[in-house]
Amino acid sequence: MVFLDDDIVVKKDLAGLWSINMKGKVNGAVETCGESFHRYDRYLNFSNPIITKSFDPHACVWAFGMNVFDLAEWRRQNITEIYHSWQKLNEDRSLWKLGTLPPGLVTFWNKTFPLSRSWHVLGLGYNPHVNSRDIEHAAVIHYNGNMKPWLEIGLPKFRSYWSKYLDYDQSFLRECNINP
């Protein structure tokens, strides 16, 4: 199954994802190790002994937004139960604070196959330094962050990668005050 977040643009055919051998892993995702805040220690509470004994604080975080999930492996490895057990352990929020990424990080620990960065380029909603060549070659671009292209605070240099796919004649877009 291919998961696509609501703030992405699919620019190229994703059919090639089906032929990737994920080597028994459940989740296929692009790793985001390029910056210091993309490590496990930024998302999990390593002062908690459960976290300390289970994870490496310097391990690479991977991106949510465009993921490939092997559902046969998901069932075989009992991922739903793993997810629920981690959520139950974190009822008091001592393992991580709120958010969608931390429970995914703990659930898919050692179960994530690293995809080529050309599949998924991130940062268009917060990083004005994303390389334009990477954007051009990417299959999927992701406006993760607060500066979405449909908002006034969106990064102008990245807005056209989103807006070129819009049909401004659609009444929904006009009602939402989205204009060229």
Side-chain angles (χ1 to χ4, degrees):
M1 176 188 85
V2 175
F3 167 80
L4 300 171
D5 209 344
D6 60 358
D7 57 355
I8 61 103
V9 172
V10 177
K11 296 175 54 233
K12 296 184 180 175
D13 187 355
L14 301 181
L17 290 170
W18 300 118
S19 62
I20 293 174
N21 177 358
M22 296 201 324
K23 299 178 170 54
K25 303 291 185 176
V26 178
N27 177 25
V30 170
E31 291 182 330
T32 59
C33 299
E35 301 170 53
S36 62
F37 66 87
H38 292 297
R39 305 285 177 172
Y40 268 65
D41 64 349
R42 291 285 282 155
Y43 297 94
L44 304 179
N45 177 10
F46 278 89
S47 66
N48 185 299
I50 295 171
I51 294 296
T52 303
K53 75 175 181 143
S54 302
F55 306 101
D56 174 0
H58 305 294
C60 287
V61 171
W62 44 268
F64 263 137
M66 198 239 30
N67 303 78
V68 180
F69 293 106
D70 181 330
L71 296 182
E73 282 297 322
W74 182 294
R75 287 185 285 279
R76 193 180 73 68
Q77 296 185 36
N78 205 13
I79 296 300
T80 302
E81 179 58 35
I82 291 170
Y83 174 84
H84 287 296
S85 66
W86 277 110
Q87 290 287 44
K88 190 172 200 141
L89 283 171
N90 194 45
E91 279 180 336
D92 63 357
R93 296 194 185 125
S94 65
L95 304 180
W96 66 83
K97 300 215 183 320
L98 293 177
T100 57
L101 186 57
L105 294 175
V106 299
T107 301
F108 295 108
W109 173 252
N110 288 332
K111 296 171 179 19
T112 300
F113 180 82
L115 297 177
S116 164
R117 290 185 178 277
S118 65
W119 283 111
H120 182 192
V121 172
L122 296 97
L124 281 75
Y126 72 89
N127 182 359
H129 306 294
V130 175
N131 186 303
S132 60
R133 188 175 28 213
D134 291 344
I135 295 169
E136 292 300 327
H137 289 98
V140 169
I141 56 174
H142 194 169
Y143 289 89
N144 58 314
N146 294 328
M147 294 183 270
K148 308 296 185 194
W150 53 87
L151 299 175
E152 287 182 27
I153 63 170
L155 296 168
K157 69 189 277 185
F158 300 141
R159 191 171 282 134
S160 66
Y161 293 109
W162 171 77
S163 63
K164 72 181 180 182
Y165 295 103
L166 299 180
D167 177 359
Y168 292 103
D169 292 330
Q170 289 183 347
S171 61
F172 179 76
L173 292 179
R174 287 193 309 274
E175 290 170 13
C176 290
N177 200 25
I178 296 176
N179 302 298

